[in-house]
Amino acid sequence: MLSTMTNLLETTILYSTPLILAALGGLFSERSGVINIGLEGLMTIGAFTSAVVAINTGSPWIGLLAGIVAGILLALIHAVATVTFNADQTVSGVAINFLAAGLAVYLVKALYDGAGQTPVVESKFTDLAIPVLKDIPLIGDPLFNTSPITYIALILVFVSYFVLYRTPFGMRLRAVGEHPHATETAGVSVVKMRYVAVLISGALAAIGGATLSTSIGSEFSATTVAGQGFIAIAALIFGKWKPFGVLGAAAFFGFSVALSLTGQVWGLTEYVPSEILTMLPYVLTILALAGFVGRANAPAAIGKLYERGSR
Amino acid sequence: MIGKLNRNSTLLSSIISIILGMLVGAIAMLLSGYDPISAYGALFSSVFGSASDMGETLRTITPLIFAGLAVALAFRTGMFNIGVEGQLVIGSLAAAFVGLKLELPPVLHAIVALVVGALAGAIWALIPGLLKAIRGVHEVIVCIMMNWIALFLSNYMVGKVLSNNSDSTEKIHPSASIRVDFLTDMFDGARVHLGLILAILTTIFVYVLLFRTKLGYELRAVGLNPDASEYAGMSVKRNIILSMMISGGIAGLAGAVELLGTSEYLAINPSLPGTGFDGIAVALLGANTPIGVVLSSMLFGGLFNGGSNMQYVAEVPFEVIRIVFAAIILFVAANFVKQLGNRKNRKKKGEKASA
């Protein structure tokens, strides 16, 4: 029983990590007023790039950096389309998803003689044990002897909170997402803030993607990301567009995945089919949006195109 | 007159966007060492190459028309139905249910399956429609969630209800199939089916509904200006719900048609089929008009089907077509061509003013 509990916790943490990162990415973008349906695509490009670079350099860290660069570049397209050219943010996000899925699988086939997936990433992230803490019974091993990206993700939750709520930059970013015209009048460039926010979201989502291909899994294929970017959007909403809310929501969604996986061991799936458990995050998000599980209010200026001088 | 000019420039900028998209694909191929000319050659030669190629192209176009119409119709009422994907999955599931579990005489069986598929899609779309109308919840997010719920529900039903823990169901009863011999023979064995004819009928239906009926007028009015429509005595809520249901019904029909005509069985899927998302691109390029949807379906259907042949003949991975597709959407969405023109004009004006 104790070992299954530990197992459950470990799996929860494993599956929460990419969600935390991608949802934090979405948080920056959406707080500045730019919807990011493209999280899925940004994760895909991050997962692909970091896997290929890790294979070729033998270092998952260099792979991660390359993945971040790729995520930023793809997010730049979203920023140019939505902020500079005033494209519909949802349409552009959908296109980003198409572009990433197409590009990544195309390049895998071009690089590896038409294969559907990359070779195995031999040099993936290995668990990093934190002395003393790892010896805490029950929670020590899953929490403090885990992938370095998990620590990064947790640290980034605090960093995001600090940046968004305790720095002038964060205050401006949030203001741009609520009242862009007033903020512009106060001397803040809406365009610049939104560019920066969207690029940050590309970087964070790409780290989330890298987790999938070089930490949890060890290859990249067309099904590596498989909807995680969309669950991240759900986590963002369920977490009410707040860093610690996102952490809680991602952990909860990770838990429901863990439950559907370890549930089979317990025989729980005899009573509740695993598909129903997998559905849970999505159903809860709808209920949250509908106001049945607390109210989820989006940033006021989200999705609205911004023109200087208009009201 | 001005309207006509605008329409022409929309068409022109669409065509330029398509050409730019193809150029992006060519650059991607050049950079990775493929020959774009022979690749595009293989693509185009296969679109209408033989009767069987043409039939497969038509089969690829069919669901795109439905999905594009569904997105376009909702869009006219100001609703972004990104949930066509899930409504389509549910339509397939419902049609499979009827096709497998009911025993009815031919023709009637197919009709019942199609109607049930459309109804299921409409009900699936009702949820985001209701939440938008009553509680003001943004439909995009609800639709995305509904897509995944549909996928898991379908997978569960295939595994546990429609089969015995298998990855796919049996074939549907022949009485429910909408494949017909004369079409299959005409196109040399291609899987083209009656869905194509239904797609054309649906196009006409959407055109008549939107532009020749009172309801269509209201739907469009609400899309153009909800406040003015409400003031004029129309119910915005009612129109939003109706628009989503009709849109979902068309999407459900698409799913039913695909199941009863193309695959004839339902399988467990790790991810969503993608047709609904394609429909967004189709509607966008088709400027949300029924005829535009048909034209852009022909373009994308041709690209997709030709793309598989390109992979086979020129050995260029099919996914380059996805890159072309994404690039076209981005160019159209950003209204790239027009905005570049505007910028140039503004610059010229600015120069004149300063001079």
Side-chain angles (χ1 to χ4, degrees):
Chain A
M1 191 62 198
L2 275 185
S3 73
T4 31
M5 288 296 286
T6 312
N7 197 336
L8 191 64
L9 189 59
E10 200 174 336
T11 322
T12 302
I13 288 165
L14 202 63
Y15 282 92
S16 309
T17 304
L19 296 179
I20 296 171
L21 288 159
L24 280 181
L27 179 75
F28 276 91
S29 170
E30 304 217 337
R31 268 309 178 99
S32 80
V34 181
I35 297 177
N36 204 342
I37 302 284
L39 287 180
E40 175 89 1
L42 294 167
M43 288 181 88
T44 305
I45 215 70
F48 160 76
T49 311
S50 52
V52 170
V53 173
I55 289 168
N56 286 302
T57 60
S59 159
W61 291 102
I62 299 176
L64 179 66
L65 280 179
I68 293 173
V69 172
I72 291 176
L73 286 177
L74 188 63
L76 183 63
I77 297 180
H78 188 52
V80 170
T82 57
V83 182
T84 303
F85 283 96
N86 271 335
D88 185 287
Q89 296 174 356
T90 308
V91 172
S92 170
V94 169
I96 291 294
N97 289 339
F98 278 134
L99 187 61
L103 193 64
V105 179
Y106 170 76
L107 288 175
V108 166
K109 284 185 180 171
L111 286 171
Y112 302 106
D113 284 328
Q117 71 279 328
T118 64
V120 173
V121 183
E122 303 285 354
S123 52
K124 56 187 272 191
F125 283 102
T126 45
D127 287 353
L128 187 71
I130 296 181
V132 188
L133 289 176
K134 76 170 180 4
D135 298 322
I136 302 173
L138 218 60
I139 59 161
D141 192 55
L143 261 178
F144 300 108
N145 184 13
T146 182
S147 164
I149 304 193
T150 301
Y151 304 128
I152 293 177
L154 292 173
I155 293 168
L156 281 173
V157 173
F158 287 90
V159 171
S160 300
Y161 174 80
F162 181 79
V163 168
L164 282 171
Y165 291 92
R166 293 283 179 270
T167 66
F169 168 80
M171 193 202 69
R172 286 179 192 139
L173 190 144
R174 286 182 296 124
V176 161
E178 300 288 341
H179 303 290
H181 294 104
T183 318
E184 180 99 33
T185 313
V188 177
S189 164
V190 173
V191 169
K192 208 195 277 173
M193 289 310 294
R194 288 193 171 171
Y195 259 88
V196 173
V198 173
L199 297 190
I200 292 175
S201 88
L204 291 173
I207 306 178
T211 319
L212 295 172
S213 63
T214 57
S215 177
I216 299 176
S218 48
E219 61 167 28
F220 174 83
S221 77
T223 54
T224 297
V225 180
Q228 305 258 7
F230 290 105
I231 311 190
I233 295 173
L236 174 63
I237 297 163
F238 201 60
K240 297 180 181 162
W241 289 273
K242 293 191 171 85
F244 288 104
V246 159
L247 173 66
F252 180 68
F253 290 175
F255 176 72
S256 77
V257 174
L259 206 58
S260 70
L261 290 174
T262 46
Q264 284 160 6
V265 184
W266 293 357
L268 176 72
T269 43
E270 296 278 313
Y271 307 101
V272 188
S274 64
E275 288 89 348
I276 304 292
L277 290 172
T278 330
M279 259 183 231
L280 209 59
Y282 305 99
V283 176
L284 284 169
T285 303
I286 292 179
L287 292 177
L289 277 168
F292 298 124
V293 190
R295 196 96 180 96
N297 281 325
I302 200 163
K304 292 184 186 128
L305 59 90
Y306 175 76
E307 277 173 89
R308 258 191 209 155
S310 72
R311 273 162 50 93
Chain B
M1 184 62 200
I2 290 168
K4 207 168 194 184
L5 260 177
N6 266 338
R7 218 176 296 156
N8 283 339
S9 74
T10 305
L11 186 66
L12 185 67
S13 75
S14 295
I15 291 170
I16 296 177
S17 298
I18 293 164
I19 294 169
L20 285 176
M22 306 275 296
L23 265 176
V24 169
I27 293 168
M29 286 191 258
L30 274 177
L31 288 179
S32 40
Y34 297 109
D35 176 10
I37 295 172
S38 75
Y40 280 137
L43 189 154
F44 288 118
S45 72
S46 73
V47 174
F48 296 111
S50 65
S52 140
D53 283 336
M54 200 161 149
E56 283 295 312
T57 302
L58 288 173
R59 180 190 61 77
T60 321
I61 291 171
T62 305
L64 291 178
I65 295 179
F66 282 113
L69 287 173
V71 175
L73 185 110
F75 207 85
R76 286 278 175 165
T77 318
M79 298 289 286
F80 199 145
N81 188 0
I82 200 168
V84 168
E85 194 77 31
Q87 292 141 22
L88 197 141
V89 168
I90 288 297
S92 281
L93 174 65
F97 206 92
V98 173
L100 288 161
K101 296 280 176 188
L102 291 189
E103 303 224 3
L104 290 166
V107 184
L108 180 69
H109 198 172
I111 292 173
V112 171
L114 288 169
V115 170
V116 171
L119 278 177
I123 292 169
W124 209 250
L126 175 65
I127 298 172
L130 270 179
L131 286 175
K132 170 84 176 193
I134 296 172
R135 300 194 74 104
V137 183
H138 202 301
E139 72 277 9
V140 167
I141 306 296
V142 180
C143 281
I144 290 176
M145 302 303 134
M146 293 297 289
N147 287 345
W148 293 93
I149 297 173
L151 177 71
F152 298 125
L153 181 66
S154 173
N155 285 350
Y156 170 72
M157 295 293 279
V158 169
K160 302 281 153 56
V161 179
L162 294 174
S163 81
N164 228 336
N165 279 323
S166 161
D167 283 349
S168 65
T169 67
E170 303 271 306
K171 262 192 149 189
I172 52 163
H173 296 308
S175 53
S177 173
I178 56 166
R179 267 190 221 178
V180 281
D181 290 340
F182 83 89
L183 276 176
T184 315
D185 293 342
M186 194 156 82
F187 291 103
D188 205 11
R191 288 170 297 169
V192 58
H193 48 76
L194 283 179
L196 181 66
I197 292 159
L198 278 172
I200 296 166
L201 290 176
T202 310
T203 310
I204 298 169
F205 165 78
V206 170
Y207 175 79
V208 172
L209 174 74
L210 275 178
F211 301 104
R212 293 284 180 271
T213 66
K214 182 167 163 278
L215 173 63
Y217 178 81
E218 287 199 10
L219 291 177
R220 285 185 293 129
V222 167
L224 288 171
N225 192 336
D227 295 332
S229 310
E230 188 82 49
Y231 187 70
M234 303 172 193
S235 163
V236 172
K237 288 181 179 177
R238 175 179 163 267
N239 280 299
I240 283 178
I241 293 171
L242 277 176
S243 167
M244 279 304 279
M245 283 192 77
I246 301 169
S247 170
I250 297 172
L253 192 58
V257 158
E258 280 300 277
L259 184 107
L260 302 171
T262 304
S263 66
E264 298 191 317
Y265 70 93
L266 195 59
I268 288 182
N269 260 314
S271 57
L272 289 159
T275 319
F277 287 123
D278 294 348
I280 296 170
V282 167
L284 186 72
L285 187 64
N288 296 310
T289 60
I291 190 71
V293 163
V294 172
L295 290 177
S296 61
S297 298
M298 284 163 70
L299 172 80
F300 288 137
L303 278 180
F304 290 159
N305 205 47
S308 340
N309 191 57
M310 180 191 74
Q311 172 158 312
Y312 183 66
V313 177
E315 292 183 348
V316 179
F318 169 79
E319 280 69 23
V320 76
I321 296 302
R322 283 276 156 199
I323 299 174
V324 173
F325 185 67
I328 295 175
I329 309 172
L330 276 169
F331 286 132
V332 176
N335 218 341
F336 185 66
V337 180
K338 260 193 204 164
Q339 293 218 24
L340 271 191
N342 288 348
R343 259 156 214 259
K344 261 193 188 155
N345 282 341
R346 230 180 286 154
K347 245 190 192 165
K348 267 185 199 160
K349 269 183 199 163
E351 276 163 13
K352 265 182 197 165
S354 62

